[in-house]
Amino acid sequence: MTLDAVKQKSRKKAGRRAFEANILDGLTDAVILIDENKIFVDGNAAAFDLLGSESKGLGLAVVFDGGDVVEAVDAVLKGGQERQGEIQLPPPVSRICEMRVIELPARNPENAAWIMLVLRDVTDARKTEQMRADFVSNVSHEFRSPVSSLLGFIETLQGPAHDDAEARDRFLGIMEGEARRMAYLVNDLLILSQVEAEEHIQPNETVDISEVLGEISTILSSRAAERDMNIDLVMPEDLPAIAADKDELIQVFRNLIDNAINYGTHGSTIQIRAEDQGQVFETSEAMLAVSVTNQGPGIKQEDIQRLTERFYRVDKGRSRATGGTGLGLAIVKHIVGRHRGILDIQSTMGESTMGESTTFSVKLPTIQPPA
Ligand code: ATP
Ligand code: MG
């Protein structure tokens, strides 16, 4: 073979290696090459992203903190079949990965076989599965109590209370309440699934927020009056319009004001403030802010962080007594998300000598008039 031919062959080989490396770096799965001494010889870009570039050259027992990976690689090196499984990477990475351990053919007869370890990060998928399972279990739990209460009363009415007109009226009243609670639940679950499905579509109706707030305050003022509360609405006349879905915004502020009535102190005032904030720091966009403040028991910081989770209630008894499903703020969060807005919750738990207060504020992007 001439020197030129050798050079050309080695250039071709180097070119092929670079091509293979590019292909491997394009994969989202981590691909790791392991020698017969269980050393991490090399990896693709995803492998270094997952395990850190300092892993190269280290023993597997160090990189993976012993465990299932080392065991699987050992088994395959001893001539076993391809191995698969699910592993949790050691902290601080702590990701959950699907693992495949595959024997690579020996590169020449006297070389021992090497191993290819492929890791696919499935942490997000597992989280979503867990959330789905939790949701189904929560929904079943929420329905279980009204259903068993209804069955109990039906049995009593068919049996001991059959001829007791007074008990019958009382029980029917309770049964109506339980049936209504289930109807609210079904309704809120449907709304939640609808707003979740549409969250990526930005709404485009031009909405005057002062009209929305005015309407809701009027509708809810009689419910507030039942608890000797009044609603104080303060907003400038020239608020900018927003691109929104009016019905969804009505749901947002209806739930926030409803909560202020339900959880606020008897006889206190609920304050609603709306103002144009101009360009805000969080989004660098022009936004308006609407805040709903009530006097009340205040909410602890650890509860505030979880308030928008489905079915999360601080005081379960109180929420149930007011017919609450615990889905209101989850719906609010998704609607605000769809409007590319910001939901903020502040509560003066233990900070104020004037009594506690809670403020829910919603910032929404405004429509800018053409320059
Ligand atoms: P619904 O689905 O009918 O709205 P809900 O009011 O119980 O039921 P959310 O609106 O999601 O559900 O509120 C969740 C929980 O947050 C409530 O159960 C209550 O414990 C707490 N909460 C909400 N607003 C306030 C408030 N203004 N002050 C104190 N606690 C509040
Ligand atoms: Mg509510």
Side-chain angles (χ1 to χ4, degrees), residues 188 255 259 263 294 299 307 312-314 319 324-329:
D188 278 0
N255 184 57
N259 282 349
Y263 308 112
N294 68 271
I299 313 173
L307 231 45
Y312 192 83
R313 305 165 173 112
V314 182
S319 161
T325 62
L327 291 173
L329 288 175

Side-chain angles (χ1 to χ4, degrees), residues 304-322:
I304 289 184
Q305 284 162 5
R306 303 196 53 194
L307 231 45
T308 56
E309 286 175 22
R310 300 148 173 191
F311 299 119
Y312 192 83
R313 305 165 173 112
V314 182
D315 179 348
K316 280 199 172 31
R318 174 130 190 204
S319 161
R320 292 230 168 90
T322 56

Side-chain angles (χ1 to χ4, degrees), residues 6 8 12 26 31 48 50 58 67 69 98 124 175 193 195 197 230 267-268 289 293 296 305 314 329 363:
V6 171
Q8 203 177 355
K12 254 191 190 162
V31 181
F48 292 123
L50 190 67
L58 294 179
V69 179
E98 263 172 18
D124 293 341
M175 288 164 75
S193 92
V195 293
N230 60 309
S268 63
T293 303
Q305 284 162 5
V314 182
L329 288 175
K363 286 187 188 148

Side-chain angles (χ1 to χ4, degrees), residues 42-173:
D42 208 352
N44 67 347
F48 292 123
D49 282 349
L50 190 67
L51 302 167
S53 54
E54 66 283 0
S55 319
K56 189 170 168 172
L58 294 179
L60 276 198
V62 177
V63 179
F64 292 101
D65 211 4
D68 296 347
V69 179
V70 178
E71 203 180 291
V73 169
D74 264 336
V76 177
L77 276 174
K78 282 184 191 137
Q81 296 269 310
E82 170 185 329
R83 286 286 194 104
Q84 297 194 3
E86 193 163 294
I87 57 160
Q88 168 126 34
L89 296 181
V93 184
S94 302
R95 307 291 293 177
I96 302 168
C97 292
E98 263 172 18
M99 149 187 91
R100 275 182 76 197
V101 182
I102 306 154
E103 184 179 6
L104 292 177
R107 288 180 306 163
N108 58 52
E110 64 275 13
N111 262 2
W114 281 18
I115 297 285
M116 183 165 84
L117 169 65
V118 183
L119 297 176
R120 171 167 295 178
D121 190 336
V122 291
T123 317
D124 293 341
R126 295 290 174 271
K127 255 192 206 150
T128 312
E129 281 162 21
Q130 187 58 46
M131 272 168 64
R132 218 170 270 157
D134 288 349
F135 182 57
V136 171
S137 121
N138 282 335
V139 170
S140 319
H141 183 78
E142 293 293 328
F143 276 101
R144 188 175 294 145
S145 111
V147 166
S148 61
S149 145
L150 275 179
L151 287 173
F153 282 117
I154 290 170
E155 249 172 50
T156 318
L157 285 174
Q158 284 170 332
H162 192 262
D163 300 316
D164 181 344
E166 191 222 330
R168 195 170 53 223
D169 284 349
R170 196 155 46 84
F171 292 167
L172 280 173

